[in-house]
Amino acid sequence: MRFKRVFLIVMDSVGIGAQPDATSYFNDGVSDINAHTLGHIATSMDLKLPNLEALGIANIEPIKGLKPVNLNQSYVTKIQEASLGKDTMTGHWEMMGLYITKPFQTFTTHGFPEELIKELEEKTGRKVIGNVAASGTEILVELGEEHMKTGNIIVYTSADSVLQIAMHEEIIPIKEQYKICEIAREITMKPEWKVGRVIARPFLGTNKTNFKRTPNRHDYALKPHEKTTLNFLDEANYDVIALGKINDIFDGYGINKYSKTVSNDDGMNQITEWATKDFNGLCFLNLVDFDALYGHRRDPIGYGNALMQFDKQLPLLMNNLNDDDLLLITADHGNDPTYVGTDHTREFVPLIAYSKSFTEGGNLPILTTFSDIARTISDNFKVEKTPYGSSFLGLIK
């Protein structure tokens, strides 16, 4: 075992330029071939990322305002997604060693099929309102008061394969809310509608000016169809620590410690706290704000400010790393906030590998599957490997 601890940070949706197959992926009828999440944020504002710059983010692709540097303690490259799809679950599952040949269904354009909604209404005894792609906070402003008057449940989706149900805790008790979502999970397991996640989104408040989601969110996710590197680590008695929505994405499969986060800042605080603890294994963090708050809402300035805040927090984490730690920073897909539509974009993702023990650095070859990360982690801990990907452990000195 070369590294005792591996810290893997997913900057959710921070793509770094369109993949060659982006012509087959679309936003509002326009192919993703001109998408470049990080590049277009940098052309929209004065983007300052001194710590990511020092790690070599601009050595991967030219980024306005950022300069390539001499690399001596980090290795960088970009990774092409091999699976079919550009959603969160596909990206993360591939990152842990799976290959997805059939994309998870999304329902962004027209909402969920009438037959699905009708069955949900019949089995829950409640009418559905909404059934659109929407921000979870904005739909409460639009439909929250109607829900309180009628008891109708608010169904909505996003660019991911997800069915979300918003319900007021004083109108529909939590126990019933969870039962409704269990029914929705059962319905959406049908092959023709297979949805990645069903999420209960409870809220409180008296009117549209003060509605607020509560901590009683509950996810009903699909388990990965095969074992991943997480399972192999867990079975070998290594620590598998999931922060943010990682536990939800994998439905807890192969994870033995987890906690949720309320923001990117909270995620970075938590992973930095874990860096001060003694453990042996993987600490896996997703920073969802980039995607949820700024990418889908097409807010390049907000996105850029969030990146700069993340950049400011990196040194504290890095200072708490030991010589036998490995830090990997990557992403799961793109979500160019300057692009048409509101969907994810099919892009390469960056990869930065850093360790205090590195005696040199440089550019790695372009990687052709996110599963190379899984293979490298398995290689390091000498555990079973998934069938996909190749280890780059031997390339980092």
PDB file of all heavy atoms in Angstrom, residues 136-141 144-145 147-148 156 166-170 174 177 201-217 262:
ATOM      1  N   GLY A 136     -35.690  23.328  -6.780  1.00  0.00           N
ATOM      2  CA  GLY A 136     -36.450  22.903  -5.609  1.00  0.00           C
ATOM      3  C   GLY A 136     -36.957  24.041  -4.751  1.00  0.00           C
ATOM      4  O   GLY A 136     -37.961  23.894  -4.053  1.00  0.00           O
ATOM      5  N   THR A 137     -36.273  25.187  -4.782  1.00  0.00           N
ATOM      6  CA  THR A 137     -36.753  26.334  -4.007  1.00  0.00           C
ATOM      7  C   THR A 137     -37.787  27.141  -4.796  1.00  0.00           C
ATOM      8  O   THR A 137     -38.780  27.602  -4.237  1.00  0.00           O
ATOM      9  CB  THR A 137     -35.580  27.236  -3.605  1.00  0.00           C
ATOM     10  OG1 THR A 137     -34.810  27.561  -4.774  1.00  0.00           O
ATOM     11  CG2 THR A 137     -34.684  26.525  -2.607  1.00  0.00           C
ATOM     12  N   GLU A 138     -37.561  27.269  -6.095  1.00  0.00           N
ATOM     13  CA  GLU A 138     -38.490  28.063  -6.912  1.00  0.00           C
ATOM     14  C   GLU A 138     -39.861  27.403  -7.026  1.00  0.00           C
ATOM     15  O   GLU A 138     -40.892  28.075  -7.061  1.00  0.00           O
ATOM     16  CB  GLU A 138     -37.886  28.293  -8.297  1.00  0.00           C
ATOM     17  CG  GLU A 138     -36.674  29.227  -8.269  1.00  0.00           C
ATOM     18  CD  GLU A 138     -35.943  29.269  -9.593  1.00  0.00           C
ATOM     19  OE1 GLU A 138     -36.358  28.558 -10.533  1.00  0.00           O
ATOM     20  OE2 GLU A 138     -34.942  30.012  -9.686  1.00  0.00           O
ATOM     21  N   ILE A 139     -39.890  26.067  -7.054  1.00  0.00           N
ATOM     22  CA  ILE A 139     -41.183  25.407  -7.204  1.00  0.00           C
ATOM     23  C   ILE A 139     -42.017  25.536  -5.930  1.00  0.00           C
ATOM     24  O   ILE A 139     -43.248  25.505  -5.982  1.00  0.00           O
ATOM     25  CB  ILE A 139     -41.025  23.931  -7.621  1.00  0.00           C
ATOM     26  CG1 ILE A 139     -42.323  23.449  -8.293  1.00  0.00           C
ATOM     27  CG2 ILE A 139     -40.638  23.036  -6.441  1.00  0.00           C
ATOM     28  CD1 ILE A 139     -42.185  22.214  -9.124  1.00  0.00           C
ATOM     29  N   LEU A 140     -41.359  25.728  -4.788  1.00  0.00           N
ATOM     30  CA  LEU A 140     -42.115  25.983  -3.556  1.00  0.00           C
ATOM     31  C   LEU A 140     -42.790  27.345  -3.617  1.00  0.00           C
ATOM     32  O   LEU A 140     -43.927  27.505  -3.169  1.00  0.00           O
ATOM     33  CB  LEU A 140     -41.188  25.913  -2.345  1.00  0.00           C
ATOM     34  CG  LEU A 140     -40.544  24.558  -2.041  1.00  0.00           C
ATOM     35  CD1 LEU A 140     -39.752  24.625  -0.741  1.00  0.00           C
ATOM     36  CD2 LEU A 140     -41.593  23.456  -1.957  1.00  0.00           C
ATOM     37  N   VAL A 141     -42.112  28.322  -4.170  1.00  0.00           N
ATOM     38  CA  VAL A 141     -42.706  29.647  -4.339  1.00  0.00           C
ATOM     39  C   VAL A 141     -43.911  29.560  -5.271  1.00  0.00           C
ATOM     40  O   VAL A 141     -44.959  30.160  -5.028  1.00  0.00           O
ATOM     41  CB  VAL A 141     -41.668  30.641  -4.888  1.00  0.00           C
ATOM     42  CG1 VAL A 141     -42.319  31.976  -5.219  1.00  0.00           C
ATOM     43  CG2 VAL A 141     -40.529  30.829  -3.885  1.00  0.00           C
ATOM     44  N   GLY A 144     -46.202  25.971  -3.545  1.00  0.00           N
ATOM     45  CA  GLY A 144     -46.290  25.628  -2.126  1.00  0.00           C
ATOM     46  C   GLY A 144     -47.626  25.977  -1.497  1.00  0.00           C
ATOM     47  O   GLY A 144     -48.197  25.189  -0.729  1.00  0.00           O
ATOM     48  N   GLU A 145     -48.162  27.162  -1.798  1.00  0.00           N
ATOM     49  CA  GLU A 145     -49.434  27.578  -1.195  1.00  0.00           C
ATOM     50  C   GLU A 145     -50.592  26.726  -1.727  1.00  0.00           C
ATOM     51  O   GLU A 145     -51.506  26.369  -0.971  1.00  0.00           O
ATOM     52  CB  GLU A 145     -49.666  29.064  -1.459  1.00  0.00           C
ATOM     53  CG  GLU A 145     -48.689  29.955  -0.705  1.00  0.00           C
ATOM     54  CD  GLU A 145     -48.914  31.429  -0.959  1.00  0.00           C
ATOM     55  OE1 GLU A 145     -49.852  31.763  -1.725  1.00  0.00           O
ATOM     56  OE2 GLU A 145     -48.159  32.253  -0.403  1.00  0.00           O
ATOM     57  N   HIS A 147     -50.342  23.634  -2.677  1.00  0.00           N
ATOM     58  CA  HIS A 147     -50.183  22.358  -1.977  1.00  0.00           C
ATOM     59  C   HIS A 147     -50.810  22.429  -0.584  1.00  0.00           C
ATOM     60  O   HIS A 147     -51.515  21.495  -0.153  1.00  0.00           O
ATOM     61  CB  HIS A 147     -48.702  22.010  -1.872  1.00  0.00           C
ATOM     62  CG  HIS A 147     -48.380  21.007  -0.809  1.00  0.00           C
ATOM     63  ND1 HIS A 147     -48.653  19.667  -0.933  1.00  0.00           N
ATOM     64  CD2 HIS A 147     -47.807  21.168   0.426  1.00  0.00           C
ATOM     65  CE1 HIS A 147     -48.266  19.031   0.170  1.00  0.00           C
ATOM     66  NE2 HIS A 147     -47.746  19.921   0.998  1.00  0.00           N
ATOM     67  N   MET A 148     -50.590  23.522   0.137  1.00  0.00           N
ATOM     68  CA  MET A 148     -51.131  23.647   1.488  1.00  0.00           C
ATOM     69  C   MET A 148     -52.659  23.691   1.484  1.00  0.00           C
ATOM     70  O   MET A 148     -53.311  23.165   2.385  1.00  0.00           O
ATOM     71  CB  MET A 148     -50.567  24.900   2.165  1.00  0.00           C
ATOM     72  CG  MET A 148     -49.075  24.811   2.474  1.00  0.00           C
ATOM     73  SD  MET A 148     -48.468  26.250   3.386  1.00  0.00           S
ATOM     74  CE  MET A 148     -49.244  25.986   4.996  1.00  0.00           C
ATOM     75  N   TYR A 156     -41.557  17.078  -9.163  1.00  0.00           N
ATOM     76  CA  TYR A 156     -40.698  17.787 -10.112  1.00  0.00           C
ATOM     77  C   TYR A 156     -39.429  16.979 -10.342  1.00  0.00           C
ATOM     78  O   TYR A 156     -39.143  16.002  -9.650  1.00  0.00           O
ATOM     79  CB  TYR A 156     -40.371  19.202  -9.624  1.00  0.00           C
ATOM     80  CG  TYR A 156     -39.580  19.296  -8.351  1.00  0.00           C
ATOM     81  CD1 TYR A 156     -38.225  19.630  -8.362  1.00  0.00           C
ATOM     82  CD2 TYR A 156     -40.179  19.078  -7.111  1.00  0.00           C
ATOM     83  CE1 TYR A 156     -37.496  19.740  -7.201  1.00  0.00           C
ATOM     84  CE2 TYR A 156     -39.454  19.182  -5.938  1.00  0.00           C
ATOM     85  CZ  TYR A 156     -38.120  19.510  -5.980  1.00  0.00           C
ATOM     86  OH  TYR A 156     -37.396  19.610  -4.818  1.00  0.00           O
ATOM     87  N   ALA A 166     -42.140  17.312  -3.178  1.00  0.00           N
ATOM     88  CA  ALA A 166     -42.127  18.306  -2.112  1.00  0.00           C
ATOM     89  C   ALA A 166     -43.476  18.281  -1.391  1.00  0.00           C
ATOM     90  O   ALA A 166     -44.536  18.345  -2.028  1.00  0.00           O
ATOM     91  CB  ALA A 166     -41.858  19.700  -2.681  1.00  0.00           C
ATOM     92  N   MET A 167     -43.420  18.195  -0.059  1.00  0.00           N
ATOM     93  CA  MET A 167     -44.637  18.139   0.756  1.00  0.00           C
ATOM     94  C   MET A 167     -44.392  18.874   2.070  1.00  0.00           C
ATOM     95  O   MET A 167     -43.313  18.749   2.664  1.00  0.00           O
ATOM     96  CB  MET A 167     -45.018  16.670   1.039  1.00  0.00           C
ATOM     97  CG  MET A 167     -45.381  15.874  -0.208  1.00  0.00           C
ATOM     98  SD  MET A 167     -45.499  14.079   0.071  1.00  0.00           S
ATOM     99  CE  MET A 167     -43.759  13.606  -0.090  1.00  0.00           C
ATOM    100  N   HIS A 168     -45.387  19.613   2.511  1.00  0.00           N
ATOM    101  CA  HIS A 168     -45.300  20.381   3.756  1.00  0.00           C
ATOM    102  C   HIS A 168     -45.480  19.439   4.940  1.00  0.00           C
ATOM    103  O   HIS A 168     -46.409  18.631   4.973  1.00  0.00           O
ATOM    104  CB  HIS A 168     -46.381  21.473   3.763  1.00  0.00           C
ATOM    105  CG  HIS A 168     -46.167  22.544   4.781  1.00  0.00           C
ATOM    106  ND1 HIS A 168     -46.332  22.326   6.139  1.00  0.00           N
ATOM    107  CD2 HIS A 168     -45.806  23.849   4.650  1.00  0.00           C
ATOM    108  CE1 HIS A 168     -46.094  23.456   6.789  1.00  0.00           C
ATOM    109  NE2 HIS A 168     -45.760  24.391   5.906  1.00  0.00           N
ATOM    110  N   GLU A 169     -44.601  19.557   5.933  1.00  0.00           N
ATOM    111  CA  GLU A 169     -44.632  18.622   7.054  1.00  0.00           C
ATOM    112  C   GLU A 169     -45.892  18.753   7.910  1.00  0.00           C
ATOM    113  O   GLU A 169     -46.276  17.800   8.598  1.00  0.00           O
ATOM    114  CB  GLU A 169     -43.385  18.816   7.925  1.00  0.00           C
ATOM    115  CG  GLU A 169     -42.102  18.394   7.233  1.00  0.00           C
ATOM    116  CD  GLU A 169     -40.905  18.415   8.165  1.00  0.00           C
ATOM    117  OE1 GLU A 169     -41.075  18.686   9.375  1.00  0.00           O
ATOM    118  OE2 GLU A 169     -39.788  18.159   7.682  1.00  0.00           O
ATOM    119  N   GLU A 170     -46.542  19.915   7.893  1.00  0.00           N
ATOM    120  CA  GLU A 170     -47.767  20.087   8.685  1.00  0.00           C
ATOM    121  C   GLU A 170     -49.019  19.746   7.892  1.00  0.00           C
ATOM    122  O   GLU A 170     -50.119  19.692   8.443  1.00  0.00           O
ATOM    123  CB  GLU A 170     -47.842  21.520   9.216  1.00  0.00           C
ATOM    124  CG  GLU A 170     -46.741  21.833  10.230  1.00  0.00           C
ATOM    125  CD  GLU A 170     -46.755  23.275  10.681  1.00  0.00           C
ATOM    126  OE1 GLU A 170     -47.551  24.072  10.125  1.00  0.00           O
ATOM    127  OE2 GLU A 170     -45.949  23.614  11.573  1.00  0.00           O
ATOM    128  N   ILE A 174     -44.477  13.333   8.084  1.00  0.00           N
ATOM    129  CA  ILE A 174     -43.257  12.751   7.521  1.00  0.00           C
ATOM    130  C   ILE A 174     -43.425  11.271   7.213  1.00  0.00           C
ATOM    131  O   ILE A 174     -42.980  10.789   6.155  1.00  0.00           O
ATOM    132  CB  ILE A 174     -42.062  12.963   8.478  1.00  0.00           C
ATOM    133  CG1 ILE A 174     -41.617  14.424   8.438  1.00  0.00           C
ATOM    134  CG2 ILE A 174     -40.890  12.071   8.096  1.00  0.00           C
ATOM    135  CD1 ILE A 174     -41.022  14.850   7.103  1.00  0.00           C
ATOM    136  N   GLN A 177     -45.202  11.006   4.064  1.00  0.00           N
ATOM    137  CA  GLN A 177     -44.346  11.481   2.971  1.00  0.00           C
ATOM    138  C   GLN A 177     -43.403  10.372   2.513  1.00  0.00           C
ATOM    139  O   GLN A 177     -43.229  10.138   1.311  1.00  0.00           O
ATOM    140  CB  GLN A 177     -43.528  12.697   3.425  1.00  0.00           C
ATOM    141  CG  GLN A 177     -44.352  13.960   3.657  1.00  0.00           C
ATOM    142  CD  GLN A 177     -43.494  15.210   3.704  1.00  0.00           C
ATOM    143  OE1 GLN A 177     -42.425  15.262   3.113  1.00  0.00           O
ATOM    144  NE2 GLN A 177     -43.970  16.235   4.393  1.00  0.00           N
ATOM    145  N   ARG A 201     -38.801  15.642  -0.330  1.00  0.00           N
ATOM    146  CA  ARG A 201     -38.300  16.999  -0.090  1.00  0.00           C
ATOM    147  C   ARG A 201     -39.246  17.754   0.851  1.00  0.00           C
ATOM    148  O   ARG A 201     -39.971  18.669   0.440  1.00  0.00           O
ATOM    149  CB  ARG A 201     -38.200  17.756  -1.417  1.00  0.00           C
ATOM    150  CG  ARG A 201     -37.075  17.289  -2.326  1.00  0.00           C
ATOM    151  CD  ARG A 201     -35.743  17.715  -1.783  1.00  0.00           C
ATOM    152  NE  ARG A 201     -34.690  17.681  -2.813  1.00  0.00           N
ATOM    153  CZ  ARG A 201     -33.464  18.134  -2.616  1.00  0.00           C
ATOM    154  NH1 ARG A 201     -33.143  18.652  -1.447  1.00  0.00           N
ATOM    155  NH2 ARG A 201     -32.573  18.057  -3.573  1.00  0.00           N
ATOM    156  N   PRO A 202     -39.277  17.397   2.140  1.00  0.00           N
ATOM    157  CA  PRO A 202     -40.187  18.063   3.078  1.00  0.00           C
ATOM    158  C   PRO A 202     -39.837  19.539   3.251  1.00  0.00           C
ATOM    159  O   PRO A 202     -38.670  19.931   3.141  1.00  0.00           O
ATOM    160  CB  PRO A 202     -39.964  17.298   4.384  1.00  0.00           C
ATOM    161  CG  PRO A 202     -39.289  16.022   3.994  1.00  0.00           C
ATOM    162  CD  PRO A 202     -38.488  16.346   2.771  1.00  0.00           C
ATOM    163  N   PHE A 203     -40.869  20.343   3.530  1.00  0.00           N
ATOM    164  CA  PHE A 203     -40.617  21.764   3.782  1.00  0.00           C
ATOM    165  C   PHE A 203     -41.583  22.283   4.844  1.00  0.00           C
ATOM    166  O   PHE A 203     -42.573  21.622   5.197  1.00  0.00           O
ATOM    167  CB  PHE A 203     -40.700  22.586   2.493  1.00  0.00           C
ATOM    168  CG  PHE A 203     -42.072  22.692   1.868  1.00  0.00           C
ATOM    169  CD1 PHE A 203     -42.870  23.817   2.081  1.00  0.00           C
ATOM    170  CD2 PHE A 203     -42.563  21.689   1.047  1.00  0.00           C
ATOM    171  CE1 PHE A 203     -44.132  23.933   1.491  1.00  0.00           C
ATOM    172  CE2 PHE A 203     -43.807  21.797   0.442  1.00  0.00           C
ATOM    173  CZ  PHE A 203     -44.601  22.922   0.668  1.00  0.00           C
ATOM    174  N   LEU A 204     -41.292  23.460   5.348  1.00  0.00           N
ATOM    175  CA  LEU A 204     -42.139  24.154   6.318  1.00  0.00           C
ATOM    176  C   LEU A 204     -42.259  25.613   5.917  1.00  0.00           C
ATOM    177  O   LEU A 204     -41.555  26.087   5.028  1.00  0.00           O
ATOM    178  CB  LEU A 204     -41.548  24.045   7.724  1.00  0.00           C
ATOM    179  CG  LEU A 204     -41.680  22.695   8.441  1.00  0.00           C
ATOM    180  CD1 LEU A 204     -40.840  22.671   9.707  1.00  0.00           C
ATOM    181  CD2 LEU A 204     -43.143  22.380   8.746  1.00  0.00           C
ATOM    182  N   GLY A 205     -43.158  26.332   6.597  1.00  0.00           N
ATOM    183  CA  GLY A 205     -43.395  27.745   6.308  1.00  0.00           C
ATOM    184  C   GLY A 205     -44.876  28.016   6.190  1.00  0.00           C
ATOM    185  O   GLY A 205     -45.698  27.090   6.094  1.00  0.00           O
ATOM    186  N   THR A 206     -45.221  29.286   6.168  1.00  0.00           N
ATOM    187  CA  THR A 206     -46.638  29.671   6.123  1.00  0.00           C
ATOM    188  C   THR A 206     -47.083  30.187   4.753  1.00  0.00           C
ATOM    189  O   THR A 206     -48.255  30.162   4.433  1.00  0.00           O
ATOM    190  CB  THR A 206     -46.930  30.756   7.177  1.00  0.00           C
ATOM    191  OG1 THR A 206     -46.074  31.890   6.923  1.00  0.00           O
ATOM    192  CG2 THR A 206     -46.666  30.227   8.576  1.00  0.00           C
ATOM    193  N   ASN A 207     -46.138  30.662   3.953  1.00  0.00           N
ATOM    194  CA  ASN A 207     -46.481  31.177   2.623  1.00  0.00           C
ATOM    195  C   ASN A 207     -45.227  31.206   1.767  1.00  0.00           C
ATOM    196  O   ASN A 207     -44.126  30.884   2.223  1.00  0.00           O
ATOM    197  CB  ASN A 207     -47.134  32.567   2.710  1.00  0.00           C
ATOM    198  CG  ASN A 207     -46.217  33.588   3.351  1.00  0.00           C
ATOM    199  OD1 ASN A 207     -45.187  33.954   2.791  1.00  0.00           O
ATOM    200  ND2 ASN A 207     -46.568  34.020   4.560  1.00  0.00           N
ATOM    201  N   LYS A 208     -45.390  31.619   0.512  1.00  0.00           N
ATOM    202  CA  LYS A 208     -44.298  31.528  -0.450  1.00  0.00           C
ATOM    203  C   LYS A 208     -43.091  32.393  -0.097  1.00  0.00           C
ATOM    204  O   LYS A 208     -42.009  32.198  -0.639  1.00  0.00           O
ATOM    205  CB  LYS A 208     -44.789  31.877  -1.848  1.00  0.00           C
ATOM    206  CG  LYS A 208     -45.287  33.302  -2.022  1.00  0.00           C
ATOM    207  CD  LYS A 208     -45.817  33.502  -3.435  1.00  0.00           C
ATOM    208  CE  LYS A 208     -46.334  34.913  -3.657  1.00  0.00           C
ATOM    209  NZ  LYS A 208     -46.880  35.077  -5.027  1.00  0.00           N
ATOM    210  N   THR A 209     -43.261  33.342   0.823  1.00  0.00           N
ATOM    211  CA  THR A 209     -42.129  34.193   1.189  1.00  0.00           C
ATOM    212  C   THR A 209     -41.210  33.547   2.223  1.00  0.00           C
ATOM    213  O   THR A 209     -40.083  33.996   2.416  1.00  0.00           O
ATOM    214  CB  THR A 209     -42.610  35.546   1.749  1.00  0.00           C
ATOM    215  OG1 THR A 209     -43.305  35.324   2.987  1.00  0.00           O
ATOM    216  CG2 THR A 209     -43.520  36.254   0.758  1.00  0.00           C
ATOM    217  N   ASN A 210     -41.692  32.488   2.886  1.00  0.00           N
ATOM    218  CA  ASN A 210     -40.855  31.908   3.939  1.00  0.00           C
ATOM    219  C   ASN A 210     -40.787  30.381   3.914  1.00  0.00           C
ATOM    220  O   ASN A 210     -40.383  29.760   4.902  1.00  0.00           O
ATOM    221  CB  ASN A 210     -41.313  32.385   5.326  1.00  0.00           C
ATOM    222  CG  ASN A 210     -42.742  31.980   5.649  1.00  0.00           C
ATOM    223  OD1 ASN A 210     -43.304  31.070   5.049  1.00  0.00           O
ATOM    224  ND2 ASN A 210     -43.345  32.655   6.621  1.00  0.00           N
ATOM    225  N   PHE A 211     -41.189  29.764   2.795  1.00  0.00           N
ATOM    226  CA  PHE A 211     -41.053  28.311   2.702  1.00  0.00           C
ATOM    227  C   PHE A 211     -39.575  27.934   2.768  1.00  0.00           C
ATOM    228  O   PHE A 211     -38.721  28.573   2.133  1.00  0.00           O
ATOM    229  CB  PHE A 211     -41.647  27.775   1.396  1.00  0.00           C
ATOM    230  CG  PHE A 211     -43.156  27.800   1.360  1.00  0.00           C
ATOM    231  CD1 PHE A 211     -43.828  28.169   0.205  1.00  0.00           C
ATOM    232  CD2 PHE A 211     -43.904  27.436   2.461  1.00  0.00           C
ATOM    233  CE1 PHE A 211     -45.207  28.188   0.142  1.00  0.00           C
ATOM    234  CE2 PHE A 211     -45.304  27.451   2.415  1.00  0.00           C
ATOM    235  CZ  PHE A 211     -45.948  27.834   1.261  1.00  0.00           C
ATOM    236  N   LYS A 212     -39.293  26.886   3.514  1.00  0.00           N
ATOM    237  CA  LYS A 212     -37.907  26.434   3.656  1.00  0.00           C
ATOM    238  C   LYS A 212     -37.874  24.918   3.785  1.00  0.00           C
ATOM    239  O   LYS A 212     -38.633  24.333   4.551  1.00  0.00           O
ATOM    240  CB  LYS A 212     -37.273  27.063   4.894  1.00  0.00           C
ATOM    241  CG  LYS A 212     -35.783  26.799   5.016  1.00  0.00           C
ATOM    242  CD  LYS A 212     -35.181  27.572   6.177  1.00  0.00           C
ATOM    243  CE  LYS A 212     -33.673  27.344   6.261  1.00  0.00           C
ATOM    244  NZ  LYS A 212     -33.067  28.101   7.394  1.00  0.00           N
ATOM    245  N   ARG A 213     -36.990  24.281   2.994  1.00  0.00           N
ATOM    246  CA  ARG A 213     -36.862  22.833   3.074  1.00  0.00           C
ATOM    247  C   ARG A 213     -36.230  22.432   4.407  1.00  0.00           C
ATOM    248  O   ARG A 213     -35.366  23.133   4.926  1.00  0.00           O
ATOM    249  CB  ARG A 213     -36.037  22.310   1.896  1.00  0.00           C
ATOM    250  CG  ARG A 213     -36.752  22.532   0.574  1.00  0.00           C
ATOM    251  CD  ARG A 213     -36.119  21.792  -0.582  1.00  0.00           C
ATOM    252  NE  ARG A 213     -34.816  22.297  -0.960  1.00  0.00           N
ATOM    253  CZ  ARG A 213     -34.223  22.041  -2.117  1.00  0.00           C
ATOM    254  NH1 ARG A 213     -34.828  21.279  -3.011  1.00  0.00           N
ATOM    255  NH2 ARG A 213     -33.051  22.528  -2.403  1.00  0.00           N
ATOM    256  N   THR A 214     -36.667  21.314   4.948  1.00  0.00           N
ATOM    257  CA  THR A 214     -36.193  20.855   6.253  1.00  0.00           C
ATOM    258  C   THR A 214     -35.104  19.795   6.081  1.00  0.00           C
ATOM    259  O   THR A 214     -34.891  19.281   4.970  1.00  0.00           O
ATOM    260  CB  THR A 214     -37.349  20.256   7.071  1.00  0.00           C
ATOM    261  OG1 THR A 214     -37.662  18.959   6.550  1.00  0.00           O
ATOM    262  CG2 THR A 214     -38.584  21.152   7.027  1.00  0.00           C
ATOM    263  N   PRO A 215     -34.428  19.410   7.164  1.00  0.00           N
ATOM    264  CA  PRO A 215     -33.389  18.368   7.071  1.00  0.00           C
ATOM    265  C   PRO A 215     -33.940  16.952   6.889  1.00  0.00           C
ATOM    266  O   PRO A 215     -33.159  15.994   6.851  1.00  0.00           O
ATOM    267  CB  PRO A 215     -32.660  18.480   8.422  1.00  0.00           C
ATOM    268  CG  PRO A 215     -33.066  19.785   9.005  1.00  0.00           C
ATOM    269  CD  PRO A 215     -34.427  20.053   8.479  1.00  0.00           C
ATOM    270  N   ASN A 216     -35.270  16.807   6.773  1.00  0.00           N
ATOM    271  CA  ASN A 216     -35.870  15.466   6.701  1.00  0.00           C
ATOM    272  C   ASN A 216     -35.912  14.885   5.288  1.00  0.00           C
ATOM    273  O   ASN A 216     -36.661  13.941   5.025  1.00  0.00           O
ATOM    274  CB  ASN A 216     -37.282  15.497   7.292  1.00  0.00           C
ATOM    275  CG  ASN A 216     -37.252  15.728   8.785  1.00  0.00           C
ATOM    276  OD1 ASN A 216     -36.411  15.176   9.481  1.00  0.00           O
ATOM    277  ND2 ASN A 216     -38.148  16.575   9.281  1.00  0.00           N
ATOM    278  N   ARG A 217     -35.106  15.427   4.396  1.00  0.00           N
ATOM    279  CA  ARG A 217     -34.959  14.840   3.060  1.00  0.00           C
ATOM    280  C   ARG A 217     -34.620  13.354   3.182  1.00  0.00           C
ATOM    281  O   ARG A 217     -33.860  12.935   4.053  1.00  0.00           O
ATOM    282  CB  ARG A 217     -33.841  15.563   2.302  1.00  0.00           C
ATOM    283  CG  ARG A 217     -33.338  14.805   1.077  1.00  0.00           C
ATOM    284  CD  ARG A 217     -32.228  15.546   0.375  1.00  0.00           C
ATOM    285  NE  ARG A 217     -31.600  14.703  -0.648  1.00  0.00           N
ATOM    286  CZ  ARG A 217     -30.893  15.168  -1.674  1.00  0.00           C
ATOM    287  NH1 ARG A 217     -30.731  16.466  -1.812  1.00  0.00           N
ATOM    288  NH2 ARG A 217     -30.362  14.346  -2.548  1.00  0.00           N
ATOM    289  N   VAL A 262     -24.456  20.471   3.888  1.00  0.00           N
ATOM    290  CA  VAL A 262     -25.471  21.473   3.554  1.00  0.00           C
ATOM    291  C   VAL A 262     -24.968  22.468   2.513  1.00  0.00           C
ATOM    292  O   VAL A 262     -25.755  23.266   1.996  1.00  0.00           O
ATOM    293  CB  VAL A 262     -25.944  22.227   4.817  1.00  0.00           C
ATOM    294  CG1 VAL A 262     -26.615  21.273   5.788  1.00  0.00           C
ATOM    295  CG2 VAL A 262     -24.781  22.951   5.499  1.00  0.00           C
TER     296      VAL A 262
END
